[in-house]
Amino acid sequence: MKNKMNDYTQKCNHPEIRELTLANGIAYPSDEELVMLILGKGTKDNPIEQLSEKVIQAINASNEDNLVENLTAIDGMGSSRALAISAAIELGRRRKGFLHSIIRKPKDVVPYIKHYSLMKSEHFITITTNGAHEIIGSKVISIGTVSRALIHPREVFADAVSQHASGIICCHNHPCNQCYPSNADIESTKQLYKASSILGISFLDHIIITRDGYFSFLEHGMLENDRSFDSL
């Protein structure tokens, strides 16, 4: 236990992060440590370790249109630092982003939402696609409690309508790590499916993500259309 604590302490020491990253590669740091490398230092009231953790929380709770605003609201950030973080995210998105990636089957979605499985509260996310099943957008619709994220069809389909999307995939995480739908999940999926039919947007799937796996309503025959991605 003592050795593990020493390793953890060493890894969280910012100057050591630079050396360890140089030695082990850029994939070595955690998300918080990547933020530490970008920011360089914290403030008197917000040490770099705390500041980086708050930045990651803000990133996970934000969308493209409010990311800078949410980052700037963190004590010790300011507009310059907020823009630096946002620019790094945008550069990564452009170089290795999931936009225009083709979704052929439910598990193709998992890599793009896997990081939400580590969140301590439920996050409800929508992924919109065009007629060729290419991803054209992703958005956090709602952040709820440990056991529930409140959603309304109006918010769920807003981006899909504005983007003229052909299809939508709904996703949410289960912090409890139980990889099956609750009764509320089943009922909300039925409502969303009905709304999608009215709007003329294909409801491709509802996927629940956990640390150990995922659950697809489509794969389990729980959608009325019950079609594969390949046949759409």
Side-chain angles (χ1 to χ4, degrees):
M1 178 65 70
K2 184 176 180 180
N3 290 336
K4 289 183 178 180
M5 288 301 295
N6 287 340
D7 290 343
Y8 178 80
T9 300
Q10 182 186 47
K11 194 177 180 185
C12 285
N13 186 294
H14 185 48
E16 291 295 331
I17 290 301
R18 296 192 187 96
E19 300 301 324
L20 290 169
T21 302
L22 289 172
N24 296 283
I26 196 62
Y28 174 81
S30 66
D31 289 354
E32 287 83 359
E33 291 161 353
L34 287 172
V35 172
M36 289 166 64
L37 290 172
I38 295 172
L39 297 180
K41 62 181 180 180
T43 65
K44 181 180 178 181
D45 295 327
N46 248 345
I48 187 62
E49 293 85 359
Q50 290 183 8
L51 185 58
S52 62
E53 183 177 349
K54 292 177 181 178
V55 167
I56 291 298
Q57 290 174 355
I59 292 172
N60 289 333
S62 302
N63 298 299
E64 182 179 343
D65 55 354
N66 63 358
L67 177 58
V68 174
E69 178 184 355
N70 290 345
L71 288 173
T72 305
I74 299 173
D75 183 33
M77 284 296 290
S79 58
S80 295
R81 286 184 156 193
L83 285 173
I85 294 293
S86 300
I89 293 173
E90 177 63 14
L91 181 60
R93 185 190 68 80
R94 293 182 184 182
R95 295 298 299 270
K96 292 187 178 181
F98 58 79
L99 295 183
H100 307 301
S101 296
I102 298 176
I103 304 299
R104 294 186 173 88
K105 50 189 177 297
K107 74 175 183 179
D108 290 344
V109 179
V110 174
Y112 309 126
I113 60 172
K114 185 64 178 176
H115 58 287
Y116 289 105
S117 67
L118 303 177
M119 299 295 101
K120 295 179 180 179
S121 57
E122 278 202 8
H123 287 57
F124 192 95
I125 308 102
T126 57
I127 294 176
T128 48
T129 67
N130 59 21
H133 304 159
E134 295 176 326
I135 296 176
I136 57 178
S138 173
K139 187 169 186 177
V140 176
I141 300 300
S142 175
I143 301 175
T145 62
V146 172
S147 60
R148 188 175 184 184
L150 299 177
I151 58 170
H152 189 282
R154 179 175 58 250
E155 284 77 31
V156 171
F157 289 97
D159 275 17
V161 171
S162 65
Q163 295 168 352
H164 303 287
S166 173
I168 188 170
I169 303 167
C170 292
C171 318
H172 77 276
N173 63 308
H174 273 185
C176 62
N177 207 36
Q178 294 179 342
C179 201
Y180 54 84
S182 65
N183 290 333
D185 293 335
I186 294 172
E187 288 304 312
S188 64
T189 301
K190 291 179 180 178
Q191 293 179 0
L192 293 173
Y193 179 83
K194 290 179 181 178
S196 72
S197 299
I198 294 172
L199 293 171
I201 298 172
S202 297
F203 191 87
L204 300 179
D205 204 352
H206 185 174
I207 295 176
I208 298 170
I209 189 76
T210 68
R211 294 187 298 275
D212 299 327
Y214 75 95
F215 180 97
S216 161
F217 276 70
L218 179 65
E219 289 181 344
H220 285 78
M222 297 176 69
L223 294 182
E224 292 181 34
N225 58 348
D226 198 22
R227 297 175 292 178
S228 68
F229 282 87
D230 292 331
S231 65
L232 293 174

